[in-house]
Amino acid sequence: MSMAAEPVDVLVAEATAGSQEAWNAIVDRYAALVWSVCLRFRLSEADTSDVVQTVWLRTVERLSSLREPAALPGWLATTTRRECLKVLGSRQSWPLGELAATLPADEDTTAPDAELLAAERRAMVREAFAQLPEHCQRLLALLVSGDQPSYVEIGARLEMPVGSIGPTRSRCLDKLRACPAVARWLTSERAEQRGDRRNV
Amino acid sequence: MSEPWADEDRWLAELREALQEARQVPKAVLEAGYSAYAWRTIDAELAELTYDSITEDPALAGARSQQAPLRALTFATGSVTLELQIEPTLLLGQVVPPQPGELLVSLRDGTSRTVPVDDLGCFTVDPIPAVPFRLRLAGEPPVATGWITL
């Protein structure tokens, strides 16, 4: 688990230098991103597994030439999407209409779309979460867990006074937002909201 | 203007989704990832996929579907180009500029075979591998394509 909190550029550098452990940490971090993009295309299980395998193999061969490791999540999302489209394209004995109906609405295969961006954003949130101190991780994980425990239950489980849960929650979320990847993203979001794309 | 991402509940909702998504990833997706590392090539120059008839014009590919579709791929480094044409059961290729010798076909299942490259740089891979494969051309440095899935 020691590598789970490392920034992506460190992982990429280590994996390029031969560390299987660093590579595994990259896989652990981004598997959900690759998977969630695949899900949108409703491919068969066999096709999905082909796509996933191809994406990882391409990533391995790409590793040393990645100029901007921070761009890895975006690259993974677009590559996964392209491989999914390729699999759909190779099923081209279908009538064109049927093929078109299966594809996501936007036809420009190079432009990022809202779902792709949301998938990248969730990957970013997981990365930021992994960098939080342990007490923050435990509290936030409980707060968002399926059984929605009350503050009293959370206080009992984490052995913390109920009155400090609210403030701790705020501090932990502040830390999440201050994580470099999230901070960068927030800056570009704000710029976009103002209609100012110069800083994006 | 309001700042939607200033809202704590929005972040908690986002985090809930993000963590849930991570739990749903099938083990096979992770394992395919871990084992892909063994396929790292460090000595060969990677030939980029510079053209693929499928992704180049999917609409056109669909419109042609009456006939057997022909797929063409191009891989290139600064000095060598590999042109591939996918026929129904076999793969025809040409090395440009011509470089007679041998071409190694490595399959994802761990097997490999060599095919001859003639004086014009032409080669045939027959039958088309059923699993992802890559082509590797000897030279200084050797040139390898990325993984090809047909």
Side-chain angles (χ1 to χ4, degrees), chain B residues 69 85-92 113 124-130 150:
Chain B
Q85 184 167 317
I86 301 16
E87 302 281 338
T89 62
L90 52 82
L91 186 157
L92 299 176
R113 58 189 143 120
T124 306
V125 180
D126 180 12
I128 292 178
L150 296 176

Side-chain angles (χ1 to χ4, degrees), chain B residues 69-91:
Chain B
L70 272 189
R71 185 166 168 201
L73 301 168
T74 305
F75 290 89
T77 68
S79 49
V80 182
T81 302
L82 285 167
E83 305 275 2
L84 306 181
Q85 184 167 317
I86 301 16
E87 302 281 338
T89 62
L90 52 82
L91 186 157

